[in-house]
Every structure is written in C-alpha cells, then in structure tokens.
Amino acid sequence: MLEITSILLNLLRNTYRMIEQDDFDINTRLHTIVRGEDEAAMVESVGLALVKLPDVLNRLKPDIMIVHGDRFDALALATSAALMNIRILHIEGGEVSGTIDDSIRHAITKLAHYHVCCTRSAEQHLISMCEDHDRILLAGCPSYDKLLSAKNKDYMSIIRMWLGDDVKSKDYIVALQHPVTTDIKHSLKMFELTLDALISFNKRTLVLFPNIDAGSKEMVRVMRKKGIEHHPNFRAVKHVPFDQFIQLVAHAGCMIGNSSCGVREVGAFGTPVINLGTRQIGRETGENVLHVRDADTQDKILQALHLQFGKQYPCSKIYGDGNAVPRILKFLKSIDLQEPLQKKFCFPPVKDNISQDIDHILETLSALAVDLGGTNLRVAIVSMKGEIVKKYTQFNPKTYEERINLILQMCVEAAAEAVKLNCRILGVGISTGGRVNPREGIVLHSTKLIQEWNSVDLRTPLSDTLHLPVWVDNDGNCAALAERKFGQGKGLENFVTLITGTGIGGGIIHQHELIHGSSFCAAELGHIVVSLDGPDCSCGSHGCIEAYASGMALQREAKKLHDEDQLLVEGMSVPKDEAVGALHLIQAAKLGNAKAQSILRTAGTALGLAVVNILHTMNPSLVILSGVLASHYIHTVKDVIRQQALSSVQDVDVVVSDLVEPALLGAASMVLDYTTRRIY
C-alpha cells in the first residue's frame, strides 16, 4: 500500500487551516522561518528545516515524498529526503523563470527520482538535464484541474467583499508583486513605479502583500510610503483563500505583477496580464500576457495598463487541460517501491517518446477544425500530420442562434470524442466565408450564402465553453494556410492559392506569412475585374471573375441553357426534382455541347486573366488552384498565361491542389502552427 504523507513545512500565517479544510490530515507542523526577510534569513530558514526534518521523517517513514515547486523551503525538504533514502516525486520541474527560484527548482530536479511536469517544453528541459525519460510524466498543472472546473455564479459577492460594493466585474485590477532576490534594488524600483502607475490609472485595485523572500520587508515599506493601505482606490491584503482568489482574477479587468500565477494560472480565464521585470522571464505564456521587461518610468507601465485593461483573451491551456490529478494518481500507482532507489541519469537524451505514461505516449496532438460553409457545417479532429481523425457534418442552420448553438454542440461532442480517440486538442480553428478580423476572432460581415452572420464574435463563446484557444479566418486564407503546412506550398516563401468553388476566393502567402491587409480584405481574388461590361457579380460590381468562373456563375449559365432546351445532349438527363447546376454544364461540355464548351472556355479565360494579374502584381513562385472546379480550368488558365503574361512570369507554375479538405486543414493549421509568446 502506497503511503503518501503530508508534511506542512514553512507554516505561514494560517495556511494550515486551508489544508485541513481540504480534508488532509497534517501529521506534523514545523515552524522553520527565521524572521528577517533578507538573504541571510533565507539561508538560516533552510538550515533550521534541515535540523528539524530528520526526526519527523524517521517517525513518519513515508514511502514517497511529494515536493512541489521551487521555494527554498522545498529544497530543504528534498535534501533531507534524498539523504534519508526516501523516494522523491517533484511537481513542476523543468520550467524556466528567473531569480534564485531557477537554481532551486533545478537542484530539486537533480535530487528527485520522479518528475511531474506541466508543459512540453518543461518535459524537454528535464530530458536535456539528463533525467530518465521513463520517470517523467507530462500531466499538466494540478491547479488547472481546479481552475477549469471553477464555476461560481455568485462571484460578485466575492468581488464586493474584497473590493467594495461599487465595483463591477472586469473593472478592477489585481496586483501581486514579489521581490527578485538576485536584484532586490531593481525590483524595489519596479514596484515603486508600478504603484505610481496604478495610482495614475485610477482603478480600484486589490494589492496583495509580497511573499517572505529577501526584499519583501523593503517592498512593504514602499507600500506604506505611498499610502496604499489607506488610499481609497486600493485594498491591501495579506492573504486571499484560493477559491476566492480564482474568482477575483477570473473576473478582473487586468492582473499586474511578477507572480507565476499571472503567467500560469490566470491564462485559464483569458484575463489580461502585465508581467513585470525578470522574475518570470523564461516562463511559457499565453497570448493574454504582455511583458514589461524593464521600466525606467511609470509611463511604460501605464501604457501597458491602457493596452491590456478590459480585454478578453482566449483561454490558454499551455499549463494543463484539467486532467492532471488523474494522470498523477495513475503515475503514483505505477511506481514500484521494490525497485532500487538509486536514480539513473540518461546521457545523452536521444529518445523522442519521453513520457512514462502509456496513455500520453499514444496521445495525438490535434486541433478541432470547423468549416462554416453556406450549406454544411463541418467539424473535424485533425492531427499534427494533417490526418483527419474524425469528421462530423450537419446542415448549416439559417438563423444566428441555431447556428452558434450547433457549432458549440458539435465542438463539445468532438472534444469529448477526442479523449476516447487519444487525441489531445490544442485549440479550435474556424474557416468561414466573408471578411474576418483574425485578431479578435470576429466575422465582420459574411457572404450572402451565410445570412445573419455579421459582427459575430466566434472566439469568445467557443473559448468559454471548451476552455481552449480559438482562431478564426476567412476560408480563402485557410486554404492558403493548408497549402503552406500540408500541401504544395510547403517550404515556399511566396505563393498564391485561388479557390474555385461556389464562389471564388483565395489567400496570399508572402515571405512565409499570410497577408490580411489593412482592413482584413486582402486576397479578395474573386473580385478581380477582367471586363468592364461583364455580368453582374454578387458584390454589386460587374466583370469580376466570380461572375464568370464560380459555381454560382456556371449554375446561372446552365439554367439559361436548360430553360432554352439547349443544355441536354444525348446521354444526359436531369430529374425533375433536381436543380440544374455547374456539374450539369461540365457534363454537357464533355459530351460535346458546343455552347456549354464555350461557356466553360470563357470562364477559364476570365480566371486565366485574373491569374495573369496576380503574376504581374505579386510575382509569386507558384499559383495553386483549389476547389471542385480547379481541374476543369487548369489547361485554359495555362493557355491564357502563355498568351497574355509577361515573359518574365510565364515560367511560374500553376498547379491543381492535391488537398482533399483545404478548409478543414487550414483551420487546423492556425492552431497547430501558433506561437504564443508576446513581448512588449
């Protein structure tokens, strides 16, 4: 029977009461903190703990010692356990931050026999430190289990209790700043500038006292010098219960400081964070974090407050998906207590499959991809290699409410199914028609095919429901992204994708990046005008290639021929209940219908002229024709290029895409390729 004994080291204020409330039995309480709040006091505290711990450990005889984090008191615990031949499991090793915590964290790693880490980068760091890959579990952060399940409808009562009755949700700041023990003087200056900026910003602010590291006493003096404890806009507190603190940061307009909580836990809610100084300099962060590495004046911090306050970011799951505790329990149960205690190091780290947990080894990093079409709504689980693991299709409802509810329902079902399929979902990508602001995840206005779909925020409801980051972009841009990651544009610096479907769209990759334009309408390639007196286009203009070469345009011409009894030839028939469409026109042309052939030739010529314009404007190294009509146009397009294009661009290749699902793959690639670090 595995015995896990809880030891409360470093009793600070009434922390032990919180542990008792969580139904843990505290076997021993040690007071090891030497007052002084300076470097010498930290050393004396570690020494005092080392003196007291042997008696406690001899009495309790734990099978495994669980050591969490990177505090100096945890180092004393790990040192004692290692010297007394007690197995050590270290949680949150492999991470990189700043200050003395880095050294302590890595020192505990070298003492520990087993490791539970929170992020893939941390896992790689542990391998690089020569830790045995069979004794490492990538579980995520245990606190995220609590964070992602935290739902408190009465959060306003908590906000009012700590900040006053007149404070509203998203209209206050939480500030938590600790000393940087390796540069106390600079951290004091940064703290003073932060308080000045907060006073100037003039918002109600909950300020938590710093921890007890060296320099904290001086920081408290700065608070008192500024009159923070008596200022009407500030509430200064020493401790907030964790459940209440979760609600306070979840509904704050911004969090500011240098606590690891800001760059780790707060990302679960998408709350804006301003990370100050170097204390967390190496941490992985979600896009909700804005870094102010150095500040010579309060203005820089004040500008950051103006940039961040009141924003809402996608929920970040970098540090966990809410299932860390079950993984850790499974890992603990797998430990063989009869196995030799001597830890082994791996020189050099060469193995890719580095987790001890077989479920994790078999997990496939994946994205949820959503294709919002005029007729169908499709959701797919897409792997990192571009494999569609599972796809779901439903008829796309006509009204906004029905459509948004169906998207949420399908994504929730797909995310649940992903667990059964051993797929770890990293985020959601949405491909949709119309003009999209990808920075905010908003469909500004859509095509006529998708009604009631203007100024629609797709990011927020999905992110709030799934606790996943969400990206949204135009379907033409998604097709280009799909080609860049999985198709014929892979590795190319400059290329253009042109979609030939119900409408005509496209995407432009320039210097490996997608071009959106100043008002998010770049690559509206379907509305390149090739004739001043051409047919009417759905955009209100005429002579656009969409009016010639889109599926809608071909359907219009097919219907005209059919109405004049000039469409059907021998070997063709159209059932009475079937609408005439582009495919009937193509079939007629293949069977020798001269009028149908002429219409297709005109459409292909219009498309070819548009490609010539693209070659002369963008000078890409490749043009990719995508969509159901691409193969029917390719030869005509190449003929037009030979006849009309400048000789300098006639060698540019035009190819037909070989991707089966470009919209879904492009939506997935937004998730799979995304990087989150932001520096200000």
Side-chain angles (χ1 to χ4, degrees):
M1 183 69 179
L2 178 66
E3 177 188 346
I4 305 173
T5 306
S6 298
I7 297 180
L8 181 62
L9 180 67
N10 179 11
L11 179 61
L12 178 60
R13 304 183 181 100
N14 291 324
T15 308
Y16 74 93
R17 297 189 190 280
M18 295 173 57
I19 297 174
E20 289 175 332
Q21 287 170 6
D22 286 337
D23 296 327
F24 284 100
D25 293 327
I26 299 175
N27 300 102
T28 300
R29 297 174 187 171
L30 293 179
H31 183 83
T32 62
I33 296 302
V34 175
R35 295 295 176 188
E37 289 80 34
D38 57 16
E39 293 92 335
M42 292 167 64
V43 176
E44 291 172 3
S45 296
V46 172
L48 182 58
L50 289 171
V51 169
K52 293 184 175 183
L53 278 167
D55 288 341
V56 175
L57 297 178
N58 271 328
R59 177 167 52 84
L60 296 177
K61 298 187 180 343
D63 291 317
I64 295 178
M65 183 72 68
I66 299 178
V67 180
H68 174 263
D70 50 25
R71 301 283 304 150
F72 60 83
D73 41 13
L75 177 61
L77 188 58
T79 302
S80 300
L83 292 172
M84 296 181 70
N85 292 321
I86 298 170
R87 298 171 193 274
I88 302 168
L89 184 143
H90 183 210
I91 298 178
E92 293 185 12
E95 296 182 22
V96 178
S97 57
T99 76
I100 193 63
D101 292 353
D102 262 348
S103 299
I104 292 174
R105 186 187 312 110
H106 300 331
I108 295 173
T109 290
K110 303 320 294 178
L111 293 169
H113 304 87
Y114 307 95
H115 309 275
V116 172
C117 56
C118 301
T119 71
R120 191 162 296 279
S121 292
E123 185 183 39
Q124 292 297 329
H125 292 157
L126 290 173
I127 296 301
S128 298
M129 293 165 68
C130 303
E131 294 301 310
D132 186 347
H133 53 261
D134 287 331
R135 296 188 173 196
I136 300 172
L137 171 69
L138 173 56
C141 182
S143 63
Y144 263 59
D145 293 22
K146 185 97 169 177
L147 298 174
L148 294 178
S149 62
K151 293 182 179 178
N152 189 327
K153 295 181 180 178
D154 194 28
Y155 61 86
M156 283 306 304
S157 64
I158 297 173
I159 294 173
R160 294 189 186 105
M161 178 174 67
W162 290 98
L163 287 147
D165 294 336
D166 57 336
V167 177
K168 298 178 181 178
S169 176
K170 302 296 182 183
D171 198 37
Y172 62 89
I173 297 170
V174 175
L176 178 54
Q177 201 157 336
H178 300 304
V180 179
T181 55
T182 51
D183 194 351
I184 294 173
K185 185 177 180 181
H186 182 266
S187 66
L188 289 174
K189 178 186 176 184
M190 182 74 87
F191 186 52
E192 190 167 1
L193 293 173
T194 302
L195 294 179
D196 289 339
L198 288 169
I199 292 169
S200 299
F201 195 64
N202 198 31
K203 286 286 182 182
R204 191 66 56 83
T205 302
L206 181 71
V207 180
L208 281 85
F209 277 70
N211 63 21
I212 58 168
D213 284 353
S216 60
K217 188 162 51 178
E218 289 83 354
M219 291 183 75
V220 173
R221 288 197 192 106
V222 170
M223 288 176 62
R224 287 172 179 159
K225 177 183 174 184
K226 300 282 182 184
I228 296 302
E229 292 171 289
H230 305 290
H231 194 287
N233 263 356
F234 289 85
R235 300 290 185 272
V237 299
K238 294 182 177 179
H239 173 71
V240 178
F242 183 68
D243 286 346
Q244 296 178 27
F245 185 72
I246 288 175
Q247 300 301 326
L248 289 169
V249 296
H251 298 93
C254 182
M255 182 175 181
I256 187 170
N258 62 5
S259 168
S260 62
C261 173
V263 297
R264 291 170 58 97
E265 285 84 352
V266 178
F269 308 112
T271 302
V273 172
I274 300 170
N275 178 46
L276 302 173
T278 59
R279 194 170 190 269
Q280 308 297 337
I281 196 168
R283 295 275 192 195
E284 296 173 81
T285 65
E287 63 172 307
N288 64 311
V289 179
L290 185 64
H291 300 280
V292 180
R293 300 301 190 200
D294 194 9
D296 301 324
T297 67
Q298 74 178 65
D299 290 343
K300 199 168 187 179
I301 301 175
L302 193 57
Q303 287 173 4
L305 283 166
H306 284 294
L307 282 171
Q308 287 287 77
F309 186 79
K311 284 189 176 181
Q312 182 62 44
Y313 289 94
C315 302
S316 168
K317 296 177 75 174
I318 293 173
Y319 285 96
D321 60 4
N323 297 299
V325 171
R327 292 189 184 108
I328 295 171
L329 290 175
K330 183 178 179 181
F331 186 62
L332 280 168
K333 291 176 182 177
S334 73
I335 294 174
D336 182 2
L337 298 180
Q338 304 306 314
E339 187 180 42
L341 184 63
Q342 179 62 50
K343 74 175 286 184
K344 299 175 182 178
F345 299 96
C346 293
F347 303 99
V350 293
K351 193 170 180 180
D352 290 331
N353 288 330
I354 33 94
S355 175
Q356 189 271 347
D357 185 350
I358 187 65
D359 290 333
H360 169 64
I361 292 172
L362 297 176
E363 275 184 333
T364 304
L365 295 180
S366 307
L368 276 189
V370 180
D371 177 23
L372 185 63
T375 304
N376 292 319
L377 173 62
R378 301 185 304 155
V379 175
I381 302 169
V382 182
S383 75
M384 188 71 77
K385 295 180 180 179
E387 298 167 347
I388 295 180
V389 180
K390 191 157 186 178
K391 184 169 63 176
Y392 312 80
T393 303
Q394 294 274 3
F395 179 74
N396 199 357
K398 297 300 181 186
T399 67
Y400 166 81
E401 291 293 340
E402 290 177 317
R403 189 178 298 128
I404 199 74
N405 287 336
L406 182 59
I407 292 173
L408 292 173
Q409 175 191 329
M410 291 178 70
C411 286
V412 168
E413 290 174 359
E417 184 70 13
V419 176
K420 299 176 184 177
L421 296 171
N422 256 347
C423 294
R424 184 176 290 218
I425 302 298
L426 303 177
V428 183
I430 303 176
S431 168
T432 179
R435 189 162 66 96
V436 176
N437 178 345
R439 297 174 190 164
E440 304 294 337
I442 294 174
V443 181
L444 300 174
H445 57 75
S446 193
T447 64
K448 291 184 178 180
L449 296 175
I450 308 176
Q451 302 298 324
E452 293 188 25
W453 209 241
N454 298 324
S455 301
V456 174
D457 178 1
L458 288 176
R459 173 182 286 178
T460 300
L462 269 171
S463 180
D464 288 348
T465 301
L466 296 173
H467 299 294
L468 287 168
V470 177
W471 293 267
V472 186
D473 213 330
N474 167 268
D475 50 7
N477 288 336
C478 286
L481 292 174
E483 296 292 346
R484 184 182 71 175
K485 185 168 183 63
F486 303 113
Q488 298 186 66
K490 194 171 184 178
L492 296 183
E493 186 176 8
N494 303 291
F495 70 90
V496 174
T497 298
L498 194 59
I499 307 171
T500 58
T502 307
I504 301 285
I508 299 170
I509 300 293
H510 179 63
Q511 295 182 347
H512 300 292
E513 296 297 329
L514 186 65
I515 302 298
H516 284 103
S518 60
S519 57
F520 311 110
C521 66
E524 285 288 355
L525 305 181
H527 301 291
I528 294 175
V529 177
V530 294
S531 173
L532 295 178
D533 56 356
D536 293 341
C537 182
S538 61
C539 70
S541 183
H542 9 216
C544 302
I545 59 168
E546 187 167 290
Y548 284 103
S550 67
M552 291 187 298
L554 296 185
Q555 182 183 38
R556 180 192 66 225
E557 296 301 318
K559 190 174 184 306
K560 281 183 185 178
L561 288 182
H562 190 56
D563 291 343
E564 297 168 0
D565 293 326
Q566 298 184 54
L567 176 65
L568 301 183
V569 295
E570 187 177 348
M572 277 188 70
S573 64
V574 179
K576 290 183 179 180
D577 59 347
E578 183 177 329
V580 175
L583 293 180
H584 295 109
L585 187 75
I586 293 169
Q587 184 184 7
K590 287 181 177 179
L591 292 173
N593 186 320
K595 288 186 178 294
Q597 290 172 345
S598 176
I599 291 169
L600 281 177
R601 191 162 42 251
T602 300
T605 301
L607 189 67
L609 290 173
V611 172
V612 169
N613 288 329
I614 292 169
L615 295 178
H616 291 167
T617 305
M618 294 296 301
N619 191 24
S621 57
L622 180 68
V623 175
I624 303 171
L625 298 186
S626 181
V628 293
L629 300 173
S631 60
H632 301 291
Y633 289 143
I634 183 70
H635 298 299
T636 307
V637 168
K638 289 187 174 182
D639 287 341
V640 174
I641 292 172
R642 281 192 291 269
Q643 297 164 16
Q644 300 285 341
L646 294 171
S647 59
S648 56
V649 297
Q650 285 189 6
D651 290 337
V652 174
D653 202 5
V654 180
V655 299
V656 175
S657 173
D658 54 10
L659 296 180
V660 178
E661 297 282 7
L664 288 173
L665 293 178
S669 72
M670 289 191 289
V671 178
L672 302 175
D673 278 351
Y674 187 69
T675 54
T676 59
R677 192 173 302 280
R678 296 168 69 241
I679 296 178
Y680 172 65

